Amino acid sequence: MADAPPPDLLAYWLGVRAIDVAAGLGGGLVRGLVNPSYTWPMRLTSAVVGAITAGYLTPPAARVAAQWYAAWGGTSGEVTGAVGFFLGLCGMTVAEMLLRWARHWRDKAPPPALPR
């Protein structure tokens, strides 16, 4: 009898796959380690934000990436890990941008409109 894979507890509790969270954690950790001005708490925060970002955004982003990859002649390979890592790498940057945008809006005036 074949062994059953272990249950994915993150998917059960939070609705995110553990593999996506792990890829985002790695991406966030790399982002934190590459920036020499970050302190260790900032690096850990970057890893956690990367994990959260990748956990929730990898499934829709991976579908788009797989379609794009196939349109350019690629075989239908698994792109989920790379997408999760990339989202983890960019997650803290996007979070910082949104926080700056919200502070600007709170303190001064509404933020500028997004370009069309």
Side-chain angles (χ1 to χ4, degrees), residues 1 12 17 19 29-30 37 44 48 57 62 68 83 86 97 101 104-105 110:
M1 185 163 149
Y12 179 74
R17 295 181 338 157
I19 192 71
L29 189 59
V30 166
S37 66
L44 292 175
V48 169
L57 294 181
W68 176 81
V83 170
F86 180 74
M97 179 190 68
W101 189 56
H104 177 75
W105 192 14

Side-chain angles (χ1 to χ4, degrees), residues 38-107:
Y38 275 17
T39 62
W40 278 104
M42 292 171 73
R43 290 174 177 158
L44 292 175
T45 302
S46 177
V48 169
V49 170
I52 293 169
T53 304
Y56 287 104
L57 294 181
T58 295
R63 284 192 292 275
V64 172
Q67 291 174 353
W68 176 81
Y69 187 62
W72 283 89
T75 59
S76 60
E78 184 67 32
V79 296
T80 306
V83 170
F85 182 82
F86 180 74
L87 287 172
L89 201 60
C90 298
M92 193 66 181
T93 303
V94 172
E96 287 172 349
M97 179 190 68
L98 291 174
L99 285 173
R100 281 191 202 127
W101 189 56
R103 284 185 190 123
H104 177 75
W105 192 14
R106 178 194 68 194
D107 295 340

